[in-house]
Amino acid sequence: MVKVENLSKTFGRFKAVDQLSFSVEAGEVLGFLGPNGAGKSTTMKMITGFIAPSSGTAQIGDFDIRRQPVQAKALLGYLPEGAPAYADMTPLQFLRFAAAIRSLGPTADKRINEVVEQLMLQDVLHRPIDTLSKGFKRRVGIAQAILHDPSILILDEPTDGLDPMQKHEVRSLITNLAEDKIVIVSTHILEEVNAVCSRALIIANGQLVVDAKPEELEAQSEYHGAVTLKLADNTDPRAALQGLPSVFRVENYPDDPKRVTAVPNSGSPIFNDIQALAQRESWAVEEMFAERGRLEDVFRRLVDSHVSNSEPQRGAA
């Protein structure tokens, strides 16, 4: 278990993290979300013992990160933002160095081989880290984080700057690792939440905004239950859709004129209504689906509301 209690960090008069409390249980993947400057990385650094909190603490398993840092850090795997590593080392040298620090002893080579295969680092194992792509540097960083098979894994912006294929690979790895670990993923990429997280914790101005499951957040979106429709011909369905009592508005897509989205009135299911309308009108439907909701819509609304209410207090810290 990871338990954070009243964690705060101030830099001069600026309060980066303000009385933050939450817990994470085994088997959970917690998406730690917030806009840039929200306090995500500062929180990660305090949880891992990289910097000391101004007040509060974090419990890592059975150990307090402030009073028992060695025991707590033995349970942790940590990928800092940017995946820093020694540029002149090769991945193999770097992993051997990390294995020595972790005191893996005679099991080091076997474990290094396992993570090299898991992260698909074979082709770059003997190249200087400085010459690797951003994607491979991130893989090397994750390899050192999981090398000692920690029970708690903390990843700060693990897919930031990666191309779509690299993001998919890293997210698949996180999903696999989460089967027997606590995983905390700090990110500002909302699609990451749907891809890998079982819970989402949003912070802004260093304070907790909401702690909920992704599907609970999606249900707060005005697009929850919205229906996107694409016709195979040039029929324009907007007027007919807008005439349905259960439809609040209809949105079109300038780059795809055959596609429209019908947004429901609050609490009104509209899929069956639109399906029946399409049958009556004999529309040539190429695509039709109901949305679960748009996290960016909820995220922006919650954060904007919180920031507008708390900014004066934060500046006075």
Side-chain angles (χ1 to χ4, degrees), residues 108-126:
D109 287 343
K110 179 177 182 294
R111 185 60 186 150
I112 288 172
N113 289 336
E114 289 172 351
V115 299
V116 164
E117 184 175 351
Q118 193 171 10
L119 274 300
M120 295 180 287
L121 293 170
Q122 297 92 330
D123 292 342
V124 300
L125 203 54
H126 302 288

Side-chain angles (χ1 to χ4, degrees), residues 157-215:
E157 303 284 359
T159 66
D160 188 33
L162 302 187
D163 64 38
M165 183 60 69
Q166 292 167 338
K167 287 181 179 180
H168 175 74
E169 292 171 353
V170 171
R171 289 168 184 166
S172 295
L173 175 65
I174 292 171
T175 300
N176 292 334
L177 291 170
E179 292 179 1
D180 61 353
K181 302 182 189 303
I182 291 174
V183 181
I184 300 176
V185 180
S186 171
T187 184
H188 64 274
I189 304 172
L190 294 178
E191 65 186 64
E192 208 113 275
V193 179
N194 282 327
V196 300
C197 298
S198 58
R199 254 177 78 204
L201 189 150
I202 299 176
I203 68 169
N205 282 353
Q207 298 173 333
L208 177 64
V209 176
V210 68
D211 183 353
K213 295 179 180 180
E215 56 267 28

Side-chain angles (χ1 to χ4, degrees), residues 204-205 207 209 298-312:
N205 282 353
Q207 298 173 333
V209 176
V298 180
F299 177 85
R300 184 172 55 251
R301 175 168 47 81
L302 291 174
V303 168
D304 287 349
S305 175
H306 184 85
V307 168
S308 64
N309 291 331
S310 64
E311 191 66 47

